[in-house]
mmCIF file of all heavy atoms in Angstrom:
data_model
loop_
_atom_site.group_PDB
_atom_site.id
_atom_site.type_symbol
_atom_site.label_atom_id
_atom_site.label_comp_id
_atom_site.label_asym_id
_atom_site.label_seq_id
_atom_site.Cartn_x
_atom_site.Cartn_y
_atom_site.Cartn_z
ATOM 1 N N ASN A 1 4.605 -0.886 -4.344
ATOM 2 C CA ASN A 1 3.617 -0.031 -4.968
ATOM 3 C C ASN A 1 4.101 1.546 -4.951
ATOM 4 O O ASN A 1 3.840 2.236 -5.950
ATOM 5 C CB ASN A 1 2.314 -0.137 -4.307
ATOM 6 C CG ASN A 1 1.654 -1.424 -4.904
ATOM 7 O OD1 ASN A 1 1.202 -1.425 -6.072
ATOM 8 N ND2 ASN A 1 1.561 -2.361 -4.090
ATOM 9 N N ILE A 2 4.700 2.003 -3.910
ATOM 10 C CA ILE A 2 5.175 3.362 -3.811
ATOM 11 C C ILE A 2 6.373 3.528 -4.775
ATOM 12 O O ILE A 2 6.428 4.462 -5.607
ATOM 13 C CB ILE A 2 5.720 3.743 -2.458
ATOM 14 C CG1 ILE A 2 4.443 3.870 -1.558
ATOM 15 C CG2 ILE A 2 6.396 5.122 -2.404
ATOM 16 C CD1 ILE A 2 4.762 3.930 -0.002
ATOM 17 N N SER A 3 7.171 2.445 -5.023
ATOM 18 C CA SER A 3 8.257 2.474 -6.053
ATOM 19 C C SER A 3 7.661 2.577 -7.489
ATOM 20 O O SER A 3 8.102 3.355 -8.234
ATOM 21 C CB SER A 3 9.101 1.242 -5.930
ATOM 22 O OG SER A 3 9.842 1.198 -4.738
ATOM 23 N N GLU A 4 6.667 1.782 -7.705
ATOM 24 C CA GLU A 4 6.057 1.781 -8.952
ATOM 25 C C GLU A 4 5.385 3.055 -9.345
ATOM 26 O O GLU A 4 5.361 3.679 -10.429
ATOM 27 C CB GLU A 4 5.021 0.645 -9.116
ATOM 28 C CG GLU A 4 5.512 -0.709 -9.339
ATOM 29 C CD GLU A 4 4.392 -1.654 -9.620
ATOM 30 O OE1 GLU A 4 3.568 -1.514 -10.573
ATOM 31 O OE2 GLU A 4 4.409 -2.713 -8.897
ATOM 32 N N ALA A 5 4.848 3.682 -8.297
ATOM 33 C CA ALA A 5 4.126 5.023 -8.470
ATOM 34 C C ALA A 5 5.097 6.210 -8.816
ATOM 35 O O ALA A 5 4.736 7.206 -9.249
ATOM 36 C CB ALA A 5 3.344 5.401 -7.138
ATOM 37 N N GLN A 6 6.441 5.948 -8.678
ATOM 38 C CA GLN A 6 7.436 6.941 -9.137
ATOM 39 C C GLN A 6 7.395 7.189 -10.612
ATOM 40 O O GLN A 6 7.822 8.294 -11.029
ATOM 41 C CB GLN A 6 8.770 6.485 -8.565
ATOM 42 C CG GLN A 6 8.982 6.276 -7.036
ATOM 43 C CD GLN A 6 8.614 7.534 -6.265
ATOM 44 O OE1 GLN A 6 9.329 8.444 -6.281
ATOM 45 N NE2 GLN A 6 7.554 7.324 -5.341
ATOM 46 N N TYR A 7 7.021 6.129 -11.356
ATOM 47 C CA TYR A 7 7.060 6.285 -12.795
ATOM 48 C C TYR A 7 5.725 5.778 -13.411
ATOM 49 O O TYR A 7 5.684 4.763 -14.135
ATOM 50 C CB TYR A 7 8.224 5.365 -13.357
ATOM 51 C CG TYR A 7 9.587 6.078 -12.938
ATOM 52 C CD1 TYR A 7 10.214 5.494 -11.815
ATOM 53 C CD2 TYR A 7 10.142 7.256 -13.596
ATOM 54 C CE1 TYR A 7 11.393 6.047 -11.349
ATOM 55 C CE2 TYR A 7 11.347 7.732 -13.145
ATOM 56 C CZ TYR A 7 11.946 7.138 -11.991
ATOM 57 O OH TYR A 7 13.141 7.597 -11.647
ATOM 58 N N PRO A 8 4.631 6.527 -13.202
ATOM 59 C CA PRO A 8 3.396 6.089 -13.488
ATOM 60 C C PRO A 8 3.095 6.295 -15.058
ATOM 61 O O PRO A 8 3.702 7.157 -15.624
ATOM 62 C CB PRO A 8 2.383 6.991 -12.723
ATOM 63 C CG PRO A 8 3.166 8.270 -12.594
ATOM 64 C CD PRO A 8 4.637 7.811 -12.455
ATOM 65 N N GLN A 9 2.107 5.559 -15.543
ATOM 66 C CA GLN A 9 1.760 5.731 -16.843
ATOM 67 C C GLN A 9 0.692 6.879 -16.966
ATOM 68 O O GLN A 9 0.658 7.576 -18.098
ATOM 69 C CB GLN A 9 0.942 4.533 -17.391
ATOM 70 C CG GLN A 9 1.868 3.247 -17.498
ATOM 71 C CD GLN A 9 1.038 1.946 -17.892
ATOM 72 O OE1 GLN A 9 -0.104 1.900 -17.462
ATOM 73 N NE2 GLN A 9 1.814 1.096 -18.454
ATOM 74 N N SER A 10 0.156 7.316 -15.988
ATOM 75 C CA SER A 10 -0.739 8.372 -15.866
ATOM 76 C C SER A 10 -0.958 8.758 -14.440
ATOM 77 O O SER A 10 -0.551 8.078 -13.500
ATOM 78 C CB SER A 10 -2.204 8.022 -16.453
ATOM 79 O OG SER A 10 -2.684 6.991 -15.744
ATOM 80 N N LEU A 11 -1.686 9.883 -14.145
ATOM 81 C CA LEU A 11 -2.082 10.296 -12.811
ATOM 82 C C LEU A 11 -3.030 9.249 -12.194
ATOM 83 O O LEU A 11 -2.851 8.896 -11.008
ATOM 84 C CB LEU A 11 -2.749 11.718 -12.802
ATOM 85 C CG LEU A 11 -1.867 12.887 -12.573
ATOM 86 C CD1 LEU A 11 -2.714 14.150 -12.656
ATOM 87 C CD2 LEU A 11 -1.046 12.881 -11.335
ATOM 88 N N ALA A 12 -3.833 8.754 -12.895
ATOM 89 C CA ALA A 12 -4.829 7.670 -12.497
ATOM 90 C C ALA A 12 -3.969 6.395 -12.057
ATOM 91 O O ALA A 12 -4.374 5.784 -11.083
ATOM 92 C CB ALA A 12 -5.881 7.350 -13.479
ATOM 93 N N ASP A 13 -3.022 6.086 -12.884
ATOM 94 C CA ASP A 13 -2.092 4.902 -12.566
ATOM 95 C C ASP A 13 -1.389 5.176 -11.260
ATOM 96 O O ASP A 13 -1.303 4.339 -10.244
ATOM 97 C CB ASP A 13 -1.156 4.654 -13.616
ATOM 98 C CG ASP A 13 -0.205 3.433 -13.298
ATOM 99 O OD1 ASP A 13 -0.734 2.434 -12.930
ATOM 100 O OD2 ASP A 13 0.992 3.533 -13.393
ATOM 101 N N MET A 14 -0.805 6.414 -10.991
ATOM 102 C CA MET A 14 -0.206 6.656 -9.798
ATOM 103 C C MET A 14 -1.150 6.637 -8.534
ATOM 104 O O MET A 14 -0.760 6.047 -7.591
ATOM 105 C CB MET A 14 0.403 8.189 -9.901
ATOM 106 C CG MET A 14 1.154 8.631 -8.597
ATOM 107 S SD MET A 14 1.532 10.473 -8.647
ATOM 108 C CE MET A 14 3.112 10.252 -9.705
ATOM 109 N N LEU A 15 -2.277 7.183 -8.840
ATOM 110 C CA LEU A 15 -3.325 7.110 -7.640
ATOM 111 C C LEU A 15 -3.614 5.642 -7.319
ATOM 112 O O LEU A 15 -3.641 5.352 -6.034
ATOM 113 C CB LEU A 15 -4.625 7.844 -8.098
ATOM 114 C CG LEU A 15 -5.739 7.801 -7.167
ATOM 115 C CD1 LEU A 15 -5.339 8.509 -5.805
ATOM 116 C CD2 LEU A 15 -6.982 8.485 -7.772
ATOM 117 N N SER A 16 -3.726 4.795 -8.339
ATOM 118 C CA SER A 16 -4.118 3.408 -8.108
ATOM 119 C C SER A 16 -2.964 2.732 -7.327
ATOM 120 O O SER A 16 -3.255 2.080 -6.302
ATOM 121 C CB SER A 16 -4.285 2.705 -9.290
ATOM 122 O OG SER A 16 -4.428 1.301 -9.218
ATOM 123 N N LYS A 17 -1.848 2.999 -7.672
ATOM 124 C CA LYS A 17 -0.579 2.392 -6.871
ATOM 125 C C LYS A 17 -0.549 2.875 -5.522
ATOM 126 O O LYS A 17 -0.268 2.145 -4.486
ATOM 127 C CB LYS A 17 0.707 2.737 -7.702
ATOM 128 C CG LYS A 17 0.839 2.235 -9.020
ATOM 129 C CD LYS A 17 0.967 0.767 -9.119
ATOM 130 C CE LYS A 17 1.240 0.177 -10.480
ATOM 131 N NZ LYS A 17 0.251 -0.523 -11.026
ATOM 132 N N LEU A 18 -0.744 4.212 -5.330
ATOM 133 C CA LEU A 18 -0.769 4.770 -3.910
ATOM 134 C C LEU A 18 -1.838 4.232 -3.041
ATOM 135 O O LEU A 18 -1.786 4.076 -1.816
ATOM 136 C CB LEU A 18 -0.606 6.288 -3.963
ATOM 137 C CG LEU A 18 0.655 6.866 -4.664
ATOM 138 C CD1 LEU A 18 0.534 8.347 -4.630
ATOM 139 C CD2 LEU A 18 1.858 6.332 -3.945
ATOM 140 N N GLU A 19 -3.066 4.073 -3.659
ATOM 141 C CA GLU A 19 -4.155 3.547 -3.064
ATOM 142 C C GLU A 19 -3.872 2.144 -2.465
ATOM 143 O O GLU A 19 -4.187 1.609 -1.419
ATOM 144 C CB GLU A 19 -5.449 3.546 -3.804
ATOM 145 C CG GLU A 19 -5.997 5.082 -3.846
ATOM 146 C CD GLU A 19 -7.152 5.187 -4.820
ATOM 147 O OE1 GLU A 19 -7.351 4.313 -5.712
ATOM 148 O OE2 GLU A 19 -7.952 6.142 -4.534
ATOM 149 N N ILE A 20 -3.277 1.285 -3.383
ATOM 150 C CA ILE A 20 -2.921 -0.031 -3.068
ATOM 151 C C ILE A 20 -1.880 -0.093 -1.994
ATOM 152 O O ILE A 20 -1.964 -0.869 -1.009
ATOM 153 C CB ILE A 20 -2.357 -0.788 -4.250
ATOM 154 C CG1 ILE A 20 -3.542 -1.058 -5.331
ATOM 155 C CG2 ILE A 20 -1.846 -2.162 -3.982
ATOM 156 C CD1 ILE A 20 -3.041 -1.483 -6.718
ATOM 157 N N ALA A 21 -0.972 0.904 -2.027
ATOM 158 C CA ALA A 21 0.033 0.881 -0.976
ATOM 159 C C ALA A 21 -0.622 1.236 0.424
ATOM 160 O O ALA A 21 -0.301 0.585 1.409
ATOM 161 C CB ALA A 21 1.090 1.956 -1.212
ATOM 162 N N ARG A 22 -1.557 2.104 0.359
ATOM 163 C CA ARG A 22 -2.267 2.441 1.447
ATOM 164 C C ARG A 22 -3.081 1.291 2.207
ATOM 165 O O ARG A 22 -2.977 1.100 3.427
ATOM 166 C CB ARG A 22 -3.339 3.635 1.295
ATOM 167 C CG ARG A 22 -3.936 4.212 2.564
ATOM 168 C CD ARG A 22 -4.579 5.432 2.257
ATOM 169 N NE ARG A 22 -5.572 5.327 1.186
ATOM 170 C CZ ARG A 22 -6.400 6.381 0.703
ATOM 171 N NH1 ARG A 22 -6.331 7.518 1.296
ATOM 172 N NH2 ARG A 22 -7.174 6.102 -0.288
ATOM 173 N N LYS A 23 -3.689 0.522 1.313
ATOM 174 C CA LYS A 23 -4.333 -0.825 1.760
ATOM 175 C C LYS A 23 -3.410 -1.739 2.322
ATOM 176 O O LYS A 23 -3.770 -2.288 3.420
ATOM 177 C CB LYS A 23 -5.120 -1.334 0.601
ATOM 178 C CG LYS A 23 -6.461 -0.462 0.158
ATOM 179 C CD LYS A 23 -7.139 -0.993 -0.987
ATOM 180 C CE LYS A 23 -7.213 -2.327 -1.282
ATOM 181 N NZ LYS A 23 -8.064 -2.682 -2.494
ATOM 182 N N GLU A 24 -2.319 -1.874 1.723
ATOM 183 C CA GLU A 24 -1.240 -2.855 2.208
ATOM 184 C C GLU A 24 -0.753 -2.408 3.541
ATOM 185 O O GLU A 24 -0.328 -3.065 4.405
ATOM 186 C CB GLU A 24 -0.164 -2.991 1.180
ATOM 187 C CG GLU A 24 -0.557 -3.730 -0.150
ATOM 188 C CD GLU A 24 -0.944 -5.150 -0.063
ATOM 189 O OE1 GLU A 24 -0.420 -5.757 0.953
ATOM 190 O OE2 GLU A 24 -1.594 -5.574 -0.839
ATOM 191 N N CYS A 25 -0.550 -1.054 3.747
ATOM 192 C CA CYS A 25 -0.159 -0.583 4.895
ATOM 193 C C CYS A 25 -1.085 -0.769 6.127
ATOM 194 O O CYS A 25 -0.665 -1.216 7.206
ATOM 195 C CB CYS A 25 0.008 1.017 4.861
ATOM 196 S SG CYS A 25 1.120 1.746 6.032
ATOM 197 N N MET A 26 -2.342 -0.717 5.766
ATOM 198 C CA MET A 26 -3.457 -1.106 6.837
ATOM 199 C C MET A 26 -3.407 -2.651 6.990
ATOM 200 O O MET A 26 -3.498 -3.064 8.204
ATOM 201 C CB MET A 26 -4.891 -0.719 6.318
ATOM 202 C CG MET A 26 -5.161 0.687 6.353
ATOM 203 S SD MET A 26 -5.119 1.365 8.102
ATOM 204 C CE MET A 26 -6.344 0.307 8.934
ATOM 205 N N GLU A 27 -3.175 -3.449 6.100
ATOM 206 C CA GLU A 27 -2.942 -4.811 6.279
ATOM 207 C C GLU A 27 -1.837 -5.178 7.131
ATOM 208 O O GLU A 27 -1.881 -5.974 8.105
ATOM 209 C CB GLU A 27 -2.831 -5.555 4.905
ATOM 210 C CG GLU A 27 -2.701 -7.067 5.118
ATOM 211 C CD GLU A 27 -2.636 -7.825 3.822
ATOM 212 O OE1 GLU A 27 -2.955 -7.304 2.747
ATOM 213 O OE2 GLU A 27 -2.092 -9.026 3.911
ATOM 214 N N THR A 28 -0.707 -4.464 6.890
ATOM 215 C CA THR A 28 0.503 -4.637 7.819
ATOM 216 C C THR A 28 0.076 -4.373 9.278
ATOM 217 O O THR A 28 0.605 -5.117 10.130
ATOM 218 C CB THR A 28 1.601 -3.788 7.194
ATOM 219 O OG1 THR A 28 2.030 -4.011 5.912
ATOM 220 C CG2 THR A 28 2.962 -3.845 8.095
ATOM 221 N N GLU A 29 -0.554 -3.184 9.409
ATOM 222 C CA GLU A 29 -1.009 -2.943 10.842
ATOM 223 C C GLU A 29 -1.804 -4.022 11.462
ATOM 224 O O GLU A 29 -1.704 -4.382 12.629
ATOM 225 C CB GLU A 29 -1.712 -1.577 10.840
ATOM 226 C CG GLU A 29 -0.933 -0.402 10.719
ATOM 227 C CD GLU A 29 -1.721 0.952 10.848
ATOM 228 O OE1 GLU A 29 -2.138 1.155 12.014
ATOM 229 O OE2 GLU A 29 -1.646 1.767 9.934
ATOM 230 N N GLY A 30 -2.679 -4.651 10.632
ATOM 231 C CA GLY A 30 -3.627 -5.687 11.158
ATOM 232 C C GLY A 30 -2.654 -6.876 11.566
ATOM 233 O O GLY A 30 -2.861 -7.507 12.672
ATOM 234 N N TRP A 31 -1.756 -7.232 10.768
ATOM 235 C CA TRP A 31 -0.898 -8.315 11.135
ATOM 236 C C TRP A 31 -0.012 -8.041 12.362
ATOM 237 O O TRP A 31 0.200 -8.888 13.212
ATOM 238 C CB TRP A 31 0.143 -8.678 9.978
ATOM 239 C CG TRP A 31 -0.567 -9.401 8.810
ATOM 240 C CD1 TRP A 31 -0.777 -8.927 7.489
ATOM 241 C CD2 TRP A 31 -1.318 -10.643 8.807
ATOM 242 N NE1 TRP A 31 -1.512 -9.808 6.858
ATOM 243 C CE2 TRP A 31 -1.746 -10.922 7.705
ATOM 244 C CE3 TRP A 31 -1.408 -11.615 9.813
ATOM 245 C CZ2 TRP A 31 -2.466 -11.994 7.236
ATOM 246 C CZ3 TRP A 31 -2.142 -12.758 9.529
ATOM 247 C CH2 TRP A 31 -2.699 -12.993 8.267
ATOM 248 N N LEU A 32 0.391 -6.721 12.554
ATOM 249 C CA LEU A 32 1.107 -6.323 13.688
ATOM 250 C C LEU A 32 0.292 -6.527 14.910
ATOM 251 O O LEU A 32 0.660 -6.975 15.988
ATOM 252 C CB LEU A 32 1.507 -4.876 13.681
ATOM 253 C CG LEU A 32 2.744 -4.565 12.741
ATOM 254 C CD1 LEU A 32 2.914 -3.026 12.611
ATOM 255 C CD2 LEU A 32 4.023 -5.143 13.548
ATOM 256 N N LYS A 33 -1.022 -6.234 14.868
ATOM 257 C CA LYS A 33 -1.935 -6.436 15.887
ATOM 258 C C LYS A 33 -1.992 -7.832 16.338
ATOM 259 O O LYS A 33 -2.121 -8.191 17.552
ATOM 260 C CB LYS A 33 -3.355 -5.883 15.695
ATOM 261 C CG LYS A 33 -3.352 -4.315 15.653
ATOM 262 C CD LYS A 33 -4.672 -3.805 15.167
ATOM 263 C CE LYS A 33 -4.563 -2.249 14.998
ATOM 264 N NZ LYS A 33 -5.835 -1.679 14.312
ATOM 265 N N LEU A 34 -2.155 -8.700 15.373
ATOM 266 C CA LEU A 34 -2.238 -10.120 15.569
ATOM 267 C C LEU A 34 -0.955 -10.721 16.211
ATOM 268 O O LEU A 34 -1.121 -11.504 17.180
ATOM 269 C CB LEU A 34 -2.506 -10.842 14.219
ATOM 270 C CG LEU A 34 -2.741 -12.349 14.362
ATOM 271 C CD1 LEU A 34 -3.945 -12.627 14.997
ATOM 272 C CD2 LEU A 34 -2.753 -12.975 12.892
ATOM 273 N N ILE A 35 0.164 -10.204 15.821
ATOM 274 C CA ILE A 35 1.496 -10.659 16.402
ATOM 275 C C ILE A 35 1.527 -10.171 17.776
ATOM 276 O O ILE A 35 1.952 -10.816 18.707
ATOM 277 C CB ILE A 35 2.682 -10.156 15.569
ATOM 278 C CG1 ILE A 35 2.579 -10.771 14.177
ATOM 279 C CG2 ILE A 35 3.916 -10.326 16.253
ATOM 280 C CD1 ILE A 35 3.698 -10.252 13.110
ATOM 281 N N LEU A 36 1.114 -8.923 18.084
ATOM 282 C CA LEU A 36 0.986 -8.497 19.450
ATOM 283 C C LEU A 36 0.088 -9.358 20.305
ATOM 284 O O LEU A 36 0.480 -9.789 21.459
ATOM 285 C CB LEU A 36 0.484 -7.048 19.493
ATOM 286 C CG LEU A 36 0.308 -6.383 20.984
ATOM 287 C CD1 LEU A 36 1.662 -6.314 21.714
ATOM 288 C CD2 LEU A 36 -0.393 -5.137 20.870
ATOM 289 N N SER A 37 -1.123 -9.661 19.756
ATOM 290 C CA SER A 37 -2.054 -10.406 20.583
ATOM 291 C C SER A 37 -1.593 -11.814 20.713
ATOM 292 O O SER A 37 -1.972 -12.446 21.827
ATOM 293 C CB SER A 37 -3.360 -10.500 19.755
ATOM 294 O OG SER A 37 -3.941 -9.208 19.654
ATOM 295 N N SER A 38 -0.683 -12.368 19.959
ATOM 296 C CA SER A 38 -0.277 -13.814 20.122
ATOM 297 C C SER A 38 1.048 -13.796 20.859
ATOM 298 O O SER A 38 1.655 -14.790 21.044
ATOM 299 C CB SER A 38 -0.119 -14.427 18.725
ATOM 300 O OG SER A 38 0.874 -13.771 17.999
#
């Protein structure tokens, strides 16, 4: 998503891609916590 945001169709498109990347980053942290716990 960060790669896609390098060539956006618009500022709104860039924002959307970066917001998705941020959510995916939080998900990655969640999986890391699960891996630690297990």
